[in-house]
Amino acid sequence: MSPESPPGAAYLGEGKTVFRVWAPFSGAVSVHVMEPRERTLPLEKSQNGYFTGVIDDVPPGSLYRYVLDGKREFPDPASRSQPQGVHGPSQIMPPDFPWEDAGWSGIELQDYIIYELHVGTFTPEGTFDAVIGHLDELKALGITAVELMPVNQFPGGRNWGYDGVFLYAAQDSYGGPDGLRRLVDACHRAGLAVVLDVVYNHLGPEGNCLGGYGPYFTDRYHTPWGASLNFDGADSDEVRRFFIE
């Protein structure tokens, strides 16, 4: 496995999934696959504190957690889906999606007229799919770009989004990653750009497992919202890479 591969779990096809997680302070890391067939299998330690492995019979939809040093069990810090919330297992997502926005070529930044949208309160349903039915109304206002307030996985079902803890996963109560992809696809087909509001200076407290994996945080800096990220101290190269990816 190349050290340049991104973190997280990626489905390779034919039932095979590659797992990759950064846990530099752990001597051993295993993946606990919970579905479709429960088992716990060790990952191989590779360069720069990463643990990797390709496992058979782990199709999209499978649930899993990582086990550190045979004791502590956490969701994947680079989980693409948390269907049971921040305390539940991570889920393997299919790499493909039936995109229909091939005609979308983007718009010039100077032409952005942005509508900031909170998915959880924009409609009574509070979902990505529910937003789609209102895109024509936004276009009629003269909007050219929809900015989604943070949609990465946070605790509970409704939230401003600024204390998310799984930055690679789209909120399950909004419709998860497929719901987000459907919304982006619909926006592009309607001629609307999509902007993501993101928070990369802290994580929320509930469900935050990054500190259990490695030196993601530092006490050299302080924020009023939570522990600061270790972007420039010892062992910070892979922390920066986690956010860049």
Side-chain angles (χ1 to χ4, degrees):
M1 181 58 54
S2 166
E4 298 305 316
S5 299
Y11 183 62
L12 302 176
E14 298 182 344
K16 298 179 184 293
T17 292
V18 58
F19 294 88
R20 178 171 166 81
V21 62
W22 187 58
F25 298 157
S26 294
V29 176
S30 300
V31 58
H32 175 195
V33 179
M34 308 167 74
E35 291 181 357
R37 180 164 57 91
E38 186 167 11
R39 56 229 154 96
T40 301
L41 299 168
L43 300 179
E44 180 179 351
K45 192 166 189 176
S46 56
Q47 300 179 32
N48 301 324
Y50 283 91
F51 289 80
T52 63
V54 176
I55 299 179
D56 292 325
D57 193 22
V58 187
S62 300
L63 301 177
Y64 70 99
R65 297 178 192 261
Y66 289 123
V67 183
L68 279 57
D69 295 316
K71 301 175 182 177
R72 299 173 298 164
E73 188 166 320
F74 298 115
D76 186 346
S79 169
R80 268 55 169 188
S81 177
Q82 290 292 124
Q84 298 175 26
V86 298
H87 301 293
S90 302
Q91 185 178 47
I92 306 297
M93 288 299 299
D96 52 348
F97 181 80
W99 295 102
E100 299 179 6
D101 63 350
W104 171 252
S105 59
I107 59 176
E108 296 294 331
L109 186 59
Q110 64 190 17
D111 295 326
Y112 273 46
I113 301 174
I114 298 173
Y115 184 99
E116 186 176 32
L117 186 154
H118 186 285
V119 174
T121 61
F122 185 69
T123 67
E125 297 85 354
T127 65
F128 296 122
D129 286 316
V131 173
I132 294 173
H134 296 273
L135 296 183
D136 287 343
E137 299 167 37
L138 296 178
K139 288 195 68 176
L141 286 175
I143 300 303
T144 64
V146 174
E147 178 178 358
L148 301 178
M149 293 183 70
V151 299
N152 45 251
Q153 188 74 40
F154 51 73
R158 294 292 182 269
N159 191 294
W160 280 110
Y162 293 110
D163 58 355
V165 292
F166 290 99
L167 303 185
Y168 288 55
Q171 174 67 13
D172 67 302
S173 64
Y174 289 174
D178 277 342
L180 177 58
R181 291 195 276 194
R182 287 190 294 269
L183 174 56
V184 171
D185 194 47
C187 284
H188 288 173
R189 287 187 281 112
L192 295 168
V194 179
V195 182
L196 290 180
D197 184 352
V198 295
V199 181
Y200 291 158
N201 67 344
H202 74 283
L203 275 75
E206 184 179 348
N208 181 0
C209 63
L210 283 187
Y213 281 95
Y216 282 92
F217 300 99
T218 179
D219 58 6
R220 295 193 315 278
Y221 311 110
H222 300 279
T223 80
W225 309 287
S228 295
L229 276 302
N230 175 28
F231 287 138
D232 62 353
D235 302 304
S236 63
D237 287 357
E238 301 308 320
V239 177
R240 290 194 301 274
R241 181 163 183 230
F242 178 86
F243 285 84
I244 290 169
E245 291 286 359

